[in-house]
Amino acid sequence: MTGTTEGATAPDFTLSDQYGQDTTLSELRGRPVLLVFYPLAFSGVCSGELADLSARHTEFTGLGATVLAVSVDSVFALRTWSDRESFPFALLSDFWPHGAVADAYGVFDDRRGTARRGTFLIDARGRVRWTVATPVSEPRDTGEYLRGLRSLTENP
């Protein structure tokens, strides 16, 4: 994965969530953010990953983190998926300009037109403190996210 690296300032963005409300990354400063890019709503691996994030959401919020999940899906598709799955975190639409935020983070797949599986842990000052990329066919380990977040909150 090339693009945003550990220690760099996280590229700022404003994206609409599944309810059409704007979320601006820089407005979340003061607390850590777990930024999870995934290829597509309703797909098998993505559904499993986000279900795991949902099941462990209170662990993330208990450590003060905001969880944001980003794909190139439309707001309408994200709303339908979120309503079906009851996700407790924002699903952000990087629909237009298509994949621009994923591209800024170095996780846009030009060939497929989707985000790759890229995860970024951003500290309270807006710096990327940890990142991982996973092949599109493999689910990520949310336990790894929690370990990174605990390390961040213990060593700000």
Side-chain angles (χ1 to χ4, degrees):
M1 174 172 63
T2 59
T4 304
T5 58
E6 291 178 23
T9 298
D12 198 19
F13 61 80
T14 299
L15 293 174
S16 294
D17 70 11
Q18 68 266 41
Y19 304 106
Q21 300 298 308
D22 285 346
T23 297
T24 300
L25 181 63
S26 59
E27 291 177 1
L28 299 174
R29 294 251 169 95
R31 66 187 141 213
V33 173
L34 178 69
L35 184 61
V36 179
F37 289 90
Y38 62 96
L40 290 169
F42 298 101
S43 60
V45 175
C46 296
S47 292
E49 283 188 325
L50 269 63
D52 194 30
L53 273 175
S54 183
R56 301 186 82 174
H57 188 251
T58 57
E59 293 178 69
F60 290 102
T61 58
L63 292 168
T66 298
V67 177
L68 301 175
V70 182
S71 74
V72 297
D73 295 292
S74 72
V75 168
F76 306 106
L78 295 177
R79 174 68 184 262
T80 300
W81 195 33
S82 181
D83 286 352
R84 185 177 93 177
E85 302 297 330
S86 300
F87 294 126
F89 44 81
L91 302 181
L92 302 180
S93 175
D94 193 14
F95 184 74
W96 197 258
H98 190 75
V101 174
D103 193 47
Y105 279 81
V107 296
F108 187 71
D109 184 336
D110 289 321
R111 191 172 56 81
R112 293 184 175 182
T114 63
R116 293 182 188 94
R117 291 190 197 292
T119 308
F120 300 84
L121 182 56
I122 301 164
D123 70 15
R125 295 183 318 265
R127 297 245 182 241
V128 175
R129 295 288 296 271
W130 179 82
T131 183
V132 65
T134 307
V136 71
S137 60
E138 295 178 24
R140 292 168 278 195
D141 177 7
T142 55
E144 189 177 8
Y145 303 166
L146 284 165
R147 285 187 292 280
L149 182 56
R150 284 186 190 103
S151 173
L152 177 64
T153 57
E154 293 167 1
N155 304 304

